Amino acid sequence: MKTNKDYSENLKQSGLKITKQRVAILDILDKSKQPIAAEEVYENLKSNNISINLSTVYRTLELLTSKNLVLKVSIDGNSKSLFETNNMMHKHYLICTECKKILDIYYCPLENYEKELEQETHFKISGHRLDIYGLCPQCQKKINGGKNNI
Ligand SMILES: [Zn+2]
Ligand SMILES: [Zn+2]
């Protein structure tokens, strides 16, 4: 895989040893279209024939999070922490409250607002969180369908 080089570089820059497991975990998170839980990372590693146990996956994810290579995402209504690679571009999430599907939103409506707020308050703003909740089209159909049957 040609992408492995980049992850090795990231690990090196963060002062971490390059191990097959760490590179594989970053690769899995990067390929996933949405943030995933440690268990899913673990399942993925197993199906790629990489031997690792679940507690090592947890520990590695925490380590990568502490080095900012990985972001931990907690979503209301979902007790599990989810992980994704930190590609240095912040994102927002649109979350279906029914099926817990998560869509990434790359557009940020708050960038100008942050600047205004800095001028107003003289804060040095370092970031923000914004998650948007709703019902996805499939769940709307399911729920509306249910109502019509009554
Ligand atoms: Zn849904
Ligand atoms: Zn934003």
PDB file of all heavy atoms in Angstrom, residues 82-97:
ATOM      1  N   LEU A  82     -15.921   7.184  19.315  1.00  0.00           N
ATOM      2  CA  LEU A  82     -15.588   6.847  17.940  1.00  0.00           C
ATOM      3  C   LEU A  82     -14.281   7.549  17.575  1.00  0.00           C
ATOM      4  O   LEU A  82     -13.942   8.577  18.150  1.00  0.00           O
ATOM      5  CB  LEU A  82     -16.718   7.299  17.002  1.00  0.00           C
ATOM      6  CG  LEU A  82     -18.111   6.794  17.356  1.00  0.00           C
ATOM      7  CD1 LEU A  82     -19.154   7.413  16.438  1.00  0.00           C
ATOM      8  CD2 LEU A  82     -18.180   5.280  17.279  1.00  0.00           C
ATOM      9  N   PHE A  83     -13.596   6.978  16.621  1.00  0.00           N
ATOM     10  CA  PHE A  83     -12.292   7.527  16.258  1.00  0.00           C
ATOM     11  C   PHE A  83     -12.204   7.774  14.765  1.00  0.00           C
ATOM     12  O   PHE A  83     -12.801   7.066  13.962  1.00  0.00           O
ATOM     13  CB  PHE A  83     -11.183   6.552  16.671  1.00  0.00           C
ATOM     14  CG  PHE A  83     -11.120   6.326  18.158  1.00  0.00           C
ATOM     15  CD1 PHE A  83     -11.886   5.322  18.736  1.00  0.00           C
ATOM     16  CD2 PHE A  83     -10.325   7.115  18.956  1.00  0.00           C
ATOM     17  CE1 PHE A  83     -11.852   5.114  20.116  1.00  0.00           C
ATOM     18  CE2 PHE A  83     -10.279   6.911  20.327  1.00  0.00           C
ATOM     19  CZ  PHE A  83     -11.036   5.918  20.906  1.00  0.00           C
ATOM     20  N   GLU A  84     -11.448   8.791  14.414  1.00  0.00           N
ATOM     21  CA  GLU A  84     -11.146   9.034  13.004  1.00  0.00           C
ATOM     22  C   GLU A  84      -9.769   9.673  12.917  1.00  0.00           C
ATOM     23  O   GLU A  84      -9.263  10.217  13.890  1.00  0.00           O
ATOM     24  CB  GLU A  84     -12.206   9.946  12.383  1.00  0.00           C
ATOM     25  CG  GLU A  84     -12.156  11.363  12.924  1.00  0.00           C
ATOM     26  CD  GLU A  84     -13.093  12.302  12.192  1.00  0.00           C
ATOM     27  OE1 GLU A  84     -13.625  11.944  11.143  1.00  0.00           O
ATOM     28  OE2 GLU A  84     -13.261  13.423  12.692  1.00  0.00           O
ATOM     29  N   THR A  85      -9.163   9.608  11.738  1.00  0.00           N
ATOM     30  CA  THR A  85      -7.848  10.230  11.605  1.00  0.00           C
ATOM     31  C   THR A  85      -8.002  11.739  11.618  1.00  0.00           C
ATOM     32  O   THR A  85      -8.985  12.283  11.138  1.00  0.00           O
ATOM     33  CB  THR A  85      -7.143   9.819  10.288  1.00  0.00           C
ATOM     34  OG1 THR A  85      -8.066   9.937   9.220  1.00  0.00           O
ATOM     35  CG2 THR A  85      -6.602   8.424  10.361  1.00  0.00           C
ATOM     36  N   ASN A  86      -7.012  12.386  12.164  1.00  0.00           N
ATOM     37  CA  ASN A  86      -7.009  13.837  12.207  1.00  0.00           C
ATOM     38  C   ASN A  86      -6.337  14.347  10.935  1.00  0.00           C
ATOM     39  O   ASN A  86      -5.121  14.357  10.833  1.00  0.00           O
ATOM     40  CB  ASN A  86      -6.237  14.299  13.448  1.00  0.00           C
ATOM     41  CG  ASN A  86      -6.302  15.796  13.614  1.00  0.00           C
ATOM     42  OD1 ASN A  86      -6.911  16.490  12.806  1.00  0.00           O
ATOM     43  ND2 ASN A  86      -5.671  16.288  14.651  1.00  0.00           N
ATOM     44  N   ASN A  87      -7.138  14.735   9.975  1.00  0.00           N
ATOM     45  CA  ASN A  87      -6.523  15.223   8.739  1.00  0.00           C
ATOM     46  C   ASN A  87      -6.363  16.737   8.748  1.00  0.00           C
ATOM     47  O   ASN A  87      -6.228  17.369   7.719  1.00  0.00           O
ATOM     48  CB  ASN A  87      -7.289  14.733   7.509  1.00  0.00           C
ATOM     49  CG  ASN A  87      -8.751  15.098   7.605  1.00  0.00           C
ATOM     50  OD1 ASN A  87      -9.137  15.939   8.427  1.00  0.00           O
ATOM     51  ND2 ASN A  87      -9.576  14.499   6.784  1.00  0.00           N
ATOM     52  N   MET A  88      -6.382  17.286   9.950  1.00  0.00           N
ATOM     53  CA  MET A  88      -6.093  18.706  10.151  1.00  0.00           C
ATOM     54  C   MET A  88      -7.160  19.614   9.545  1.00  0.00           C
ATOM     55  O   MET A  88      -7.031  20.809   9.499  1.00  0.00           O
ATOM     56  CB  MET A  88      -4.720  19.111   9.568  1.00  0.00           C
ATOM     57  CG  MET A  88      -3.557  18.408  10.195  1.00  0.00           C
ATOM     58  SD  MET A  88      -3.558  18.606  11.990  1.00  0.00           S
ATOM     59  CE  MET A  88      -2.429  17.307  12.457  1.00  0.00           C
ATOM     60  N   MET A  89      -8.202  19.010   9.021  1.00  0.00           N
ATOM     61  CA  MET A  89      -9.273  19.845   8.523  1.00  0.00           C
ATOM     62  C   MET A  89     -10.461  19.552   9.409  1.00  0.00           C
ATOM     63  O   MET A  89     -10.920  18.430   9.469  1.00  0.00           O
ATOM     64  CB  MET A  89      -9.586  19.455   7.080  1.00  0.00           C
ATOM     65  CG  MET A  89     -10.213  20.568   6.299  1.00  0.00           C
ATOM     66  SD  MET A  89     -10.428  20.092   4.594  1.00  0.00           S
ATOM     67  CE  MET A  89     -12.011  19.308   4.663  1.00  0.00           C
ATOM     68  N   HIS A  90     -10.940  20.515  10.122  1.00  0.00           N
ATOM     69  CA  HIS A  90     -11.996  20.177  11.066  1.00  0.00           C
ATOM     70  C   HIS A  90     -13.316  19.995  10.326  1.00  0.00           C
ATOM     71  O   HIS A  90     -13.540  20.543   9.266  1.00  0.00           O
ATOM     72  CB  HIS A  90     -12.076  21.192  12.197  1.00  0.00           C
ATOM     73  CG  HIS A  90     -12.903  22.389  11.880  1.00  0.00           C
ATOM     74  ND1 HIS A  90     -12.437  23.448  11.182  1.00  0.00           N
ATOM     75  CD2 HIS A  90     -14.194  22.674  12.157  1.00  0.00           C
ATOM     76  CE1 HIS A  90     -13.388  24.344  11.057  1.00  0.00           C
ATOM     77  NE2 HIS A  90     -14.480  23.905  11.631  1.00  0.00           N
ATOM     78  N   LYS A  91     -14.127  19.173  10.924  1.00  0.00           N
ATOM     79  CA  LYS A  91     -15.370  18.776  10.275  1.00  0.00           C
ATOM     80  C   LYS A  91     -16.513  18.911  11.259  1.00  0.00           C
ATOM     81  O   LYS A  91     -16.317  18.951  12.458  1.00  0.00           O
ATOM     82  CB  LYS A  91     -15.291  17.294   9.867  1.00  0.00           C
ATOM     83  CG  LYS A  91     -14.519  17.043   8.634  1.00  0.00           C
ATOM     84  CD  LYS A  91     -14.698  15.613   8.210  1.00  0.00           C
ATOM     85  CE  LYS A  91     -13.832  14.671   9.023  1.00  0.00           C
ATOM     86  NZ  LYS A  91     -13.770  13.334   8.470  1.00  0.00           N
ATOM     87  N   HIS A  92     -17.684  18.933  10.728  1.00  0.00           N
ATOM     88  CA  HIS A  92     -18.865  18.850  11.572  1.00  0.00           C
ATOM     89  C   HIS A  92     -19.625  17.607  11.168  1.00  0.00           C
ATOM     90  O   HIS A  92     -19.411  17.055  10.102  1.00  0.00           O
ATOM     91  CB  HIS A  92     -19.715  20.101  11.419  1.00  0.00           C
ATOM     92  CG  HIS A  92     -18.967  21.321  11.838  1.00  0.00           C
ATOM     93  ND1 HIS A  92     -18.633  21.554  13.142  1.00  0.00           N
ATOM     94  CD2 HIS A  92     -18.463  22.347  11.124  1.00  0.00           C
ATOM     95  CE1 HIS A  92     -17.946  22.683  13.211  1.00  0.00           C
ATOM     96  NE2 HIS A  92     -17.823  23.189  12.005  1.00  0.00           N
ATOM     97  N   TYR A  93     -20.529  17.208  12.026  1.00  0.00           N
ATOM     98  CA  TYR A  93     -21.237  15.966  11.776  1.00  0.00           C
ATOM     99  C   TYR A  93     -22.737  16.188  11.734  1.00  0.00           C
ATOM    100  O   TYR A  93     -23.276  16.965  12.510  1.00  0.00           O
ATOM    101  CB  TYR A  93     -20.918  14.935  12.860  1.00  0.00           C
ATOM    102  CG  TYR A  93     -19.463  14.624  12.936  1.00  0.00           C
ATOM    103  CD1 TYR A  93     -18.683  15.107  13.965  1.00  0.00           C
ATOM    104  CD2 TYR A  93     -18.863  13.863  11.937  1.00  0.00           C
ATOM    105  CE1 TYR A  93     -17.323  14.833  14.015  1.00  0.00           C
ATOM    106  CE2 TYR A  93     -17.514  13.588  11.974  1.00  0.00           C
ATOM    107  CZ  TYR A  93     -16.750  14.075  13.015  1.00  0.00           C
ATOM    108  OH  TYR A  93     -15.422  13.814  13.054  1.00  0.00           O
ATOM    109  N   LEU A  94     -23.349  15.490  10.830  1.00  0.00           N
ATOM    110  CA  LEU A  94     -24.799  15.446  10.760  1.00  0.00           C
ATOM    111  C   LEU A  94     -25.181  14.027  11.146  1.00  0.00           C
ATOM    112  O   LEU A  94     -24.758  13.071  10.506  1.00  0.00           O
ATOM    113  CB  LEU A  94     -25.248  15.785   9.333  1.00  0.00           C
ATOM    114  CG  LEU A  94     -26.737  15.749   9.035  1.00  0.00           C
ATOM    115  CD1 LEU A  94     -27.496  16.737   9.914  1.00  0.00           C
ATOM    116  CD2 LEU A  94     -26.971  16.105   7.574  1.00  0.00           C
ATOM    117  N   ILE A  95     -25.935  13.899  12.217  1.00  0.00           N
ATOM    118  CA  ILE A  95     -26.151  12.588  12.820  1.00  0.00           C
ATOM    119  C   ILE A  95     -27.631  12.240  12.815  1.00  0.00           C
ATOM    120  O   ILE A  95     -28.466  13.034  13.239  1.00  0.00           O
ATOM    121  CB  ILE A  95     -25.627  12.588  14.275  1.00  0.00           C
ATOM    122  CG1 ILE A  95     -24.138  12.940  14.276  1.00  0.00           C
ATOM    123  CG2 ILE A  95     -25.863  11.241  14.940  1.00  0.00           C
ATOM    124  CD1 ILE A  95     -23.740  13.776  15.453  1.00  0.00           C
ATOM    125  N   CYS A  96     -27.939  11.054  12.338  1.00  0.00           N
ATOM    126  CA  CYS A  96     -29.326  10.582  12.399  1.00  0.00           C
ATOM    127  C   CYS A  96     -29.590  10.022  13.785  1.00  0.00           C
ATOM    128  O   CYS A  96     -28.884   9.124  14.250  1.00  0.00           O
ATOM    129  CB  CYS A  96     -29.594   9.522  11.334  1.00  0.00           C
ATOM    130  SG  CYS A  96     -31.284   8.885  11.447  1.00  0.00           S
ATOM    131  N   THR A  97     -30.600  10.567  14.455  1.00  0.00           N
ATOM    132  CA  THR A  97     -30.882  10.148  15.824  1.00  0.00           C
ATOM    133  C   THR A  97     -31.499   8.747  15.883  1.00  0.00           C
ATOM    134  O   THR A  97     -31.520   8.120  16.927  1.00  0.00           O
ATOM    135  CB  THR A  97     -31.852  11.134  16.511  1.00  0.00           C
ATOM    136  OG1 THR A  97     -32.962  11.343  15.646  1.00  0.00           O
ATOM    137  CG2 THR A  97     -31.177  12.469  16.775  1.00  0.00           C
TER     138      THR A  97
END
